[in-house]
Amino acid sequence: MADMASAGSSPSVDMSAGTTEGTSQAPWQRAATGANLLSPDGELGVTIFEEMTTLALSTGAINLGQGFPDEDGPVEIKAAAQAAIAAGANQYAPGKGVPALREAIAAHQGRFYGLYPDPDTEVLVTTGATEAIAATLLAFIQPGDEVLTFEPFYDSYGAIIGMAGATHVTAPLLAPDFLPDLPALEEAFSSRTKIVLLNNPHNPTGAVFPENVLAKIVELAAKYGATIVSDEVYEHLTFGVPHIPVGSLPGAAERTITISSAGKTFSFTGWKIGWLSGPQHLVSAVRTVKQFLTYSSGTPFQSAIAVGLALPDDFYTGIATTLQRKRDILAEGLRAAGFGVYTPSGTYFINVDTAPLGIRDSVDLARRLPGLVGVAAIPVPVFCHPEGAERTRSLLRFAFCKKADVLEEAAARLATLKDRL
């Protein structure tokens, strides 16, 4: 999933009444507002990622802003894609996905989680997890509905909620562990809660939700008749803690759509191969929408990812171990820089607090950091509504899904920050 968020001086768009100002805005305006891309005067801003990338290029900074790897994944997966292209797998795939991939997804869910979706009726291949999220939300929400996410939130959630004209409600994730306060979570539910959109492991905080939190989400979703949509693209990238799919908990399966993708697990983000699974009646509804978005895509890549999903267990443990080492390299440099470091339990991302350096405005520091030490990062407030932006005002997010030598150089540069402020 590609990251997007506003580069405005402050993410100050008022979304306290939802991501729309009624339904008078055009769909693109509602989407932009929901993703913090539309200023109060109606001007469309560039994303913070575009701004930080431009700064990184102009200063020669190491770009630890956007979360994509700087090296390819397993050679056997690339070889499988090349072989599929050579063999002529270059036309439309079936709308619900190549059978081999749907079967591999079902086998993966059984192998790792004891979940056994029917590959013919309970699995759908999508153009990345982003399309899976969009198709699912567009299938089920409309004006008057509420969609509950955790905050900070992945920016495409706000965009699609806004596009659909629904109201975006958030429950805060609080430092240092970035887990929700359960009474506050319960207060965020209402009779209008249509979807609970869960991102676990969580971007941008790196939190991995434990079973008691997931069980509370299931309990509340059942109480209010809400569908759970669980974005689990970082499922295999956890460090010393297990990933628990919410759909595996008692009472969850009949109301849960589970989403994942090949991009993060296999480091092929540009292939845009995602998928979802869940009960037939929910998957059928999503497929009805998805077929009028892309219909199908990535035919040779789909069969290659089927090969990847069948890789042995040591591949999966290996990618997490390697990424944890990279996390630790960057964390050392961030501590040396004087930041307060929140060590993540999963994902590509590590968050820091700038307050120990006497800096309260992470947006301002993000703009200065490439020039100061030659490293680019993303301010966490851009992933929030106004109240959440104030709560996370001093937080910065760095991506550590880069080569080890790049991270070592970034850590060395960051260690000089205190002397340059």
Side-chain angles (χ1 to χ4, degrees):
M1 297 186 292
D3 288 315
M4 294 178 65
S6 172
S9 60
S10 173
S12 59
V13 177
D14 182 9
M15 291 181 281
S16 60
T19 59
T20 75
E21 295 178 1
T23 55
S24 60
Q25 292 180 307
W28 73 267
Q29 292 172 311
R30 298 200 303 268
T33 301
N36 289 346
L37 286 174
L38 204 65
S39 68
D41 62 4
E43 291 296 316
L44 185 63
V46 299
T47 70
I48 193 71
F49 300 97
E50 182 177 345
E51 182 181 357
M52 291 302 106
T53 296
T54 300
L55 279 173
L57 288 171
S58 66
T59 60
I62 296 170
N63 190 350
L64 302 185
Q66 196 165 4
F68 60 86
D70 58 359
E71 53 190 332
D72 288 343
V75 294
E76 52 265 61
I77 301 179
K78 288 203 291 186
Q82 293 165 340
I85 292 169
N90 301 306
Q91 308 308 322
Y92 292 127
K96 59 185 178 182
V98 169
L101 179 53
R102 286 187 278 112
E103 290 165 5
I105 293 164
H108 169 276
Q109 294 301 93
R111 169 185 171 189
F112 287 101
Y113 309 126
L115 299 171
Y116 298 94
D118 185 324
D120 289 325
T121 62
E122 297 181 326
V123 175
L124 178 65
V125 178
T126 59
T127 306
T130 301
E131 188 192 38
I133 294 161
T136 300
L137 292 178
L138 293 172
F140 296 117
I141 62 174
Q142 58 188 326
D145 291 335
E146 292 179 354
V147 179
L148 173 59
T149 76
F150 294 91
E151 187 178 45
F153 53 85
Y154 178 63
D155 52 351
S156 80
Y157 301 165
I160 301 301
I161 294 165
M163 192 184 303
T167 300
H168 187 181
V169 176
T170 62
L173 299 179
L174 305 174
D177 56 9
F178 295 106
L179 295 178
D181 174 76
L182 296 186
L185 173 60
E186 186 160 8
E187 288 179 9
F189 277 80
S190 80
S191 59
R192 296 197 300 162
T193 305
K194 184 74 170 181
I195 297 281
V196 182
L197 180 48
L198 170 66
N199 179 203
N200 179 46
H202 185 264
N203 172 17
T205 69
V208 178
F209 287 18
E211 186 169 356
N212 70 304
V213 171
L214 297 173
K216 188 65 174 180
I217 293 168
V218 175
E219 174 193 327
L220 292 168
K223 177 179 178 180
Y224 289 94
T227 299
I228 301 170
V229 179
S230 188
D231 173 358
E232 302 182 8
V233 297
Y234 296 99
E235 60 185 316
H236 290 293
L237 304 179
T238 65
F239 316 125
V241 295
H243 167 64
I244 304 171
V246 67
S248 67
L249 298 186
E254 65 269 21
R255 66 176 63 253
T256 300
I257 289 281
T258 300
I259 293 169
S260 194
S261 78
K264 302 303 189 292
T265 298
F266 300 116
S267 295
F268 290 117
T269 60
W271 290 12
K272 297 299 291 181
I273 302 298
W275 55 83
L276 59 84
S277 59
Q280 182 177 351
H281 69 285
L282 295 180
V283 172
S284 295
V286 177
R287 187 170 68 243
T288 301
V289 172
K290 181 264 187 294
Q291 67 185 343
F292 298 112
L293 296 176
T294 59
Y295 178 66
S296 71
S297 57
T299 303
F301 301 131
Q302 289 192 31
S303 57
I305 295 305
V307 171
L309 287 171
L311 288 173
D313 289 356
D314 59 5
F315 164 77
Y316 291 94
T317 56
I319 58 173
T321 299
T322 298
L323 195 60
Q324 183 173 348
R325 285 198 297 268
K326 293 180 176 183
R327 177 200 69 179
D328 294 343
I329 291 170
L330 184 57
E332 183 178 352
L334 292 166
R335 291 189 187 95
F339 292 116
V341 178
Y342 300 113
T343 304
S345 297
T347 77
Y348 282 170
F349 306 110
I350 188 167
N351 287 264
V352 302
D353 190 356
T354 65
L357 291 169
I359 297 171
R360 297 289 177 180
D361 186 348
S362 64
V363 176
D364 176 68
L365 181 60
R367 290 187 167 119
R368 294 193 292 136
L369 201 60
L372 285 171
V373 296
V375 178
I378 298 296
V380 174
V382 302
F383 298 104
C384 300
H385 289 172
E387 183 179 344
E390 186 59 33
R391 187 179 59 250
T392 61
R393 191 166 181 256
S394 62
L395 301 187
L396 274 177
R397 189 195 79 171
F398 293 81
F400 52 86
C401 51
K402 310 298 179 180
K403 295 176 183 176
D405 59 339
V406 172
L407 294 170
E408 288 166 355
E409 175 60 24
R413 294 183 185 187
L414 287 161
T416 69
L417 177 62
K418 283 186 292 187
D419 298 328
R420 297 173 184 269
L421 288 173

